[in-house]
Structure formats: C-alpha cells, structure tokens
C-alpha cells in the first residue's frame, strides 16, 4: 500500500511516499529555519505563506524524483492537528483537493502520533512500550498500550523541552533553533561544572522554567563579575540536567508499569546526551531502547504516512474528511 504523506504543522513543509508504513520511497523536507532564524523563532504568518509557496513544487519534485504518479497512490495522509492553525490549513487543503480530484482515501493524522510512530520507519515495535515525546512544542511521557490506544502519564507544566533548549541558547547568544547548537557545544563542555536543578523528581510531569531561570542567574552573576561565560560548560551542564530528568522519569515509569521497551521521538530525541544516557540506563536494566534516525526525529511527512497505514489497516480514521478542519490543539490521548 503506497501512501502520500503531507505535513505542514509548523515550519517544515514535507511530502513523502511510504510503502506499507515502513519503506520510505522518498521523503522531502523543505525547512523554513533560515527564514525564521532572523526573528529568533517561528513567525506563524510567514510560516503559512512559505508553505503556500513550497508545497506544490515539493509535490512535483516528489513525483519527478520517484517516477511515480497519482495512479500508484492508494491513499493520502495529512497532519490536521496540533500545530499552527494557518500552517495546518495549507497542508490540509492541498490534501483534501488532491483526494477529491484523484478520488483517493484521505487519512487525517495527529502530528504527535506521527512522532510516536517515527521509529517504526526503521523497525516495527510491538506494543506495549513507553514513549517519550520531546519536541519544540511537547514534552510528554506516554504508554503506547496498542495501536491507537495511548495513556498519558505526564507532561510539561511550563516550557516544552525543545523550547527550553531554544531559550537557553538565546541567553547564550546561540542561533535559533538552539537545540542542535547546545548539543554541539555540550560535547566539549563539563557536564558537572554547574549543578542545575532537576525539577519534580517524584512526578511524571515535567517543569523546565526553574532550570531555565537557574541558567539565566548563573549567566547574569558571571556577567556582573566580568567573568567570561563558559558557554560549553553551561551547555553541557544544562543538557545533563535535562537528560537526567527525562531519563529518570522514563526508567521510573518502566519499573512502575512493567514495561521493557522505551522509544524516544520528536526533535529533542536527536540530542546526543539524551540518546547516550537513555541507551546506557536502559541497557543496565535490560530495557530495549529505540530512537528514530536523526533525519526522522524532526518534522517530516514519512511519519505521517506511517501512522496512516496503521490507521487504514485497522479501519480507524475519520471518513467525513470533506468537513474536517485543522485543529491547533487536539491530542491523540
Ligand atoms: O519535533 P520538532 O522538529 O518540531 C516540533 O514539533 O516542535 O522539534 C524541534 C525542536 C526545537 O526546539 C529544536 O531546538 C530541538 O527540537 N532540537 C534539539 C536537537 N535537534 C533539534 N534539541 C536538542 N538537541 C538536539 N540535537
Ligand atoms: Zn513535531
């Protein structure tokens, strides 16, 4: 079964062709990062306009590159929630138009399910398992009980973890989005140099505002005393604090709910400190650890097509798609 995936929920326009929910025939991602970087964050209106400019040429490129046509496609999958309303609408309108014109099945997909399924593009994982979804907009600990059946254990009470990375990067004058820059600097810094706080150890919820404020005061105090800011050490200590928090909660949940598989997904799953720490702690406890390849951690349409395949085979999707609207906040649990 060949599914055309379309994703436009934030600042990446992406189209993809995926066979049977696992084989990526082609996955094209047009990132708008360079455009938004000058503003220090995503500007929703600019994002929507850019999706309009990009999506049709990207679809043309997909079909030209793969030498496939509309006749080879069995269904169209599209992200309809959550995300920036204006951005979501562009992808959804394109998907609806194509589905109507080409007489194809349309399968609406929740973006968060997309991230949760992204490791499946490399290896099918048999539920139940624990999923740690860490991105620019979300920090959630979920039990993936079965396909379409998820239990939310905890979520962030303030900033999403990717947002915390981006804000701390801004304090250090690093470019946007800051996660990858902090990651790189952390490699040569001392993770024990600063003892930044690890919040809410007893709960499955997360909070990163105290950690962010602690970094802010550390920097301010050094500036007051004219001490040169040890950027690499701050990055390494911050990454260490974030990773400790994420890993400790994941391991605690595995113990409590008797789970022996952990999956991390979302943009922050690309973080090397987190990947290393999670892999190590899981190995110690004979827990299997899965993470998507780096290229599939951030937003992409292949993961959307992957979810759609599993929805299609269990016949679990919204059929009245002509009246379906983009929804900025809907969650799959
Ligand atoms: O999943 P994603 O592409 O978009 C959302 O759905 O939010 O995640 C983007 C987030 C950004 O905050 C970015 O800074 C962060 O993921 N990120 C990273 C790394 N790569 C991307 N954070 C830490 N380390 C990384 N290597
Ligand atoms: Zn995302």
């Amino acid at each position: 079964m060949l599914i055309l995936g379309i994703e436009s929920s934030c600042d990446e326009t992406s189209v993809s062709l995926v066979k049977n929910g696992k084989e990526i025939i082609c996955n094209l991602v047009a990132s708008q990062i360079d455009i938004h970087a000058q503003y220090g964050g995503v500007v929703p209106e600019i994002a929507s306009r850019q999706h309009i400019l990009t999506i049709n040429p990207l679809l043309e490129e997909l079909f030209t590159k793969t030498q496939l046509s509309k006749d080879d496609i069995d269904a169209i999958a599209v992200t309809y929630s959550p995300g920036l309303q204006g951005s979501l609408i562009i992808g959804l309108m394109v998907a609806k138009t194509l589905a109507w014109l080409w007489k194809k099945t349309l399968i609406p997909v929740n973006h968060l399910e997309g991230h949760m399924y992204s490791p499946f593009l490399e290896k099918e994982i048999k539920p139940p398992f624990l999923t740690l979804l860490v991105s620019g907009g979300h920090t959630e600990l979920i039990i993936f009980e079965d396909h379409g059946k998820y239990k939310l254990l905890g979520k962030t009470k303030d900033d999403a973890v990717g947002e915390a990375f981006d804000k701390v990067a801004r304090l250090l004058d690093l470019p946007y989005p800051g996660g990858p820059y902090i990651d790189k600097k952390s490699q040569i810094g001392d993770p024990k140099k600063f003892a930044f706080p690890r919040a809410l150890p007893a709960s499955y919820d997360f909070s990163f505002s105290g950690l962010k404020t602690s970094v802010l005061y550390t920097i301010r105090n050094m500036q007051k005393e004219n001490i040169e800011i040890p950027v690499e050490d701050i990055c390494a200590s911050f990454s260490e604090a974030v990773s400790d928090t994420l890993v400790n909660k994941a391991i605690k949940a595995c113990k409590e709910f008797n789970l022996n598989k952990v999956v991390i997904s979302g943009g922050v799953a690309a973080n090397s400190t987190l990947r290393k720490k999670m892999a190590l702690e899981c190995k110690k406890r004979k827990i299997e650890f899965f993470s998507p390849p780096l290229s599939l951690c951030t937003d992409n349409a292949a993961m959307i097509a992957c979810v759609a395949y599993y929805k299609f085979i269990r016949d679990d999707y919204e059929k009245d798609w002509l009246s379906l609207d983009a929804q900025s906040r809907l969650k799959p649990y």
Side-chain angles (χ1 to χ4, degrees):
M1 179 174 187
L2 188 67
I3 299 186
L4 165 65
I6 298 179
E7 154 68 38
S8 69
S9 64
C10 190
D11 60 342
E12 260 109 25
T13 321
S14 179
V15 295
S16 185
L17 287 169
V18 177
K19 205 169 160 185
N20 296 334
K22 48 178 170 282
E23 191 189 333
I24 301 178
I25 308 295
C26 188
N27 184 40
L28 301 178
V29 182
S31 174
Q32 305 175 6
I33 282 181
D34 292 345
I35 298 169
H36 297 287
Q38 55 188 306
Y39 304 103
V42 177
V43 182
E45 179 60 27
I46 295 177
S48 322
R49 285 166 190 239
Q50 203 56 34
H51 286 305
I52 294 176
L53 294 176
T54 314
I55 200 156
N56 285 348
L58 209 60
L59 278 164
E60 264 184 59
E61 189 185 335
L62 183 75
F63 287 114
T64 311
K65 264 199 176 143
T66 55
Q67 300 273 293
L68 293 167
S69 79
K70 64 177 173 46
D71 301 329
D72 301 303
I73 297 169
D74 297 294
I76 299 175
V78 64
T79 306
Y80 76 106
S81 184
L84 301 172
Q85 187 77 5
S87 293
L88 288 164
I89 285 173
I90 313 303
L92 185 60
M93 288 312 291
V94 168
K96 278 182 175 183
T97 308
L98 294 180
W100 177 75
L101 205 64
W102 295 347
K103 299 185 174 47
K104 304 285 177 189
T105 301
L106 188 129
I107 307 172
V109 172
N110 187 292
H111 181 81
L112 302 181
E113 263 182 296
H115 280 304
M116 281 156 66
Y117 273 77
S118 54
F120 282 58
L121 290 160
E122 206 176 47
K123 190 174 186 228
E124 188 168 346
I125 306 160
K126 205 171 171 300
F129 54 83
L130 186 80
T131 286
L132 178 64
L133 203 167
V134 276
S135 73
H138 302 275
T139 306
E140 287 165 28
L141 198 59
I142 303 144
I143 300 180
F144 190 120
E145 292 175 337
D146 203 348
H147 295 278
K149 204 166 162 243
Y150 320 113
K151 182 175 171 184
L152 179 68
L153 292 183
K155 61 179 171 19
T156 184
K157 290 187 165 296
D158 37 61
D159 288 344
V161 63
E163 212 177 340
F165 267 99
D166 297 342
K167 286 178 178 170
V168 164
R170 199 177 307 163
L171 296 176
L172 293 166
D173 284 330
L174 297 172
Y176 173 85
Y181 293 94
I182 292 194
D183 195 356
K184 206 160 173 215
K185 298 261 178 213
S186 300
Q187 311 303 314
I188 45 169
D190 176 2
K192 305 260 181 277
K193 181 84 184 198
F194 299 96
F196 292 133
R198 276 82 167 148
L200 309 176
S203 155
Y204 286 123
D205 284 330
F206 302 89
S207 167
F208 296 105
S209 63
L211 171 58
K212 199 182 57 192
T213 310
S214 175
V215 175
L216 172 71
Y217 283 121
T218 303
I219 295 172
R220 273 199 193 153
N221 290 340
M222 282 193 279
Q223 280 168 337
K224 263 188 219 154
E225 290 173 33
N226 276 329
I227 298 171
E228 196 185 333
I229 308 295
V231 175
E232 287 79 11
D233 294 339
I234 291 181
C235 287
S237 303
F238 170 76
S239 302
E240 185 82 359
V242 169
S243 303
D244 269 354
T245 301
L246 298 173
V247 171
N248 289 344
K249 287 182 198 286
I251 298 294
K252 179 173 138 82
C254 281
K255 265 190 219 153
E256 182 175 344
F257 297 97
N258 210 10
L259 298 163
N260 59 6
K261 290 173 208 150
V262 170
V263 170
I264 54 168
S265 59
V268 182
N271 185 267
S272 40
T273 309
L274 173 63
R275 286 170 97 97
K276 261 185 240 149
K277 234 177 219 301
M278 191 70 91
L280 184 73
E281 295 307 315
C282 284
K283 196 172 170 202
K284 277 188 204 164
R285 295 165 178 84
K286 297 197 166 43
I287 296 170
E288 270 188 281
F289 170 55
F290 303 87
S291 54
L294 295 185
S295 60
L296 297 176
C297 283
T298 44
D299 292 351
N300 66 86
M303 66 188 194
I304 303 304
C306 171
V307 175
Y309 170 76
Y310 287 93
K311 281 186 175 294
F312 182 82
I313 55 175
R314 60 175 203 272
D315 193 29
D316 176 18
Y317 60 97
E318 176 63 55
K319 306 283 187 328
D320 180 21
W321 52 263
L322 258 182
S323 55
L324 186 78
D325 249 340
Q327 303 199 33
S328 59
R329 287 173 174 272
L330 207 67
K331 297 202 170 179
Y333 29 75

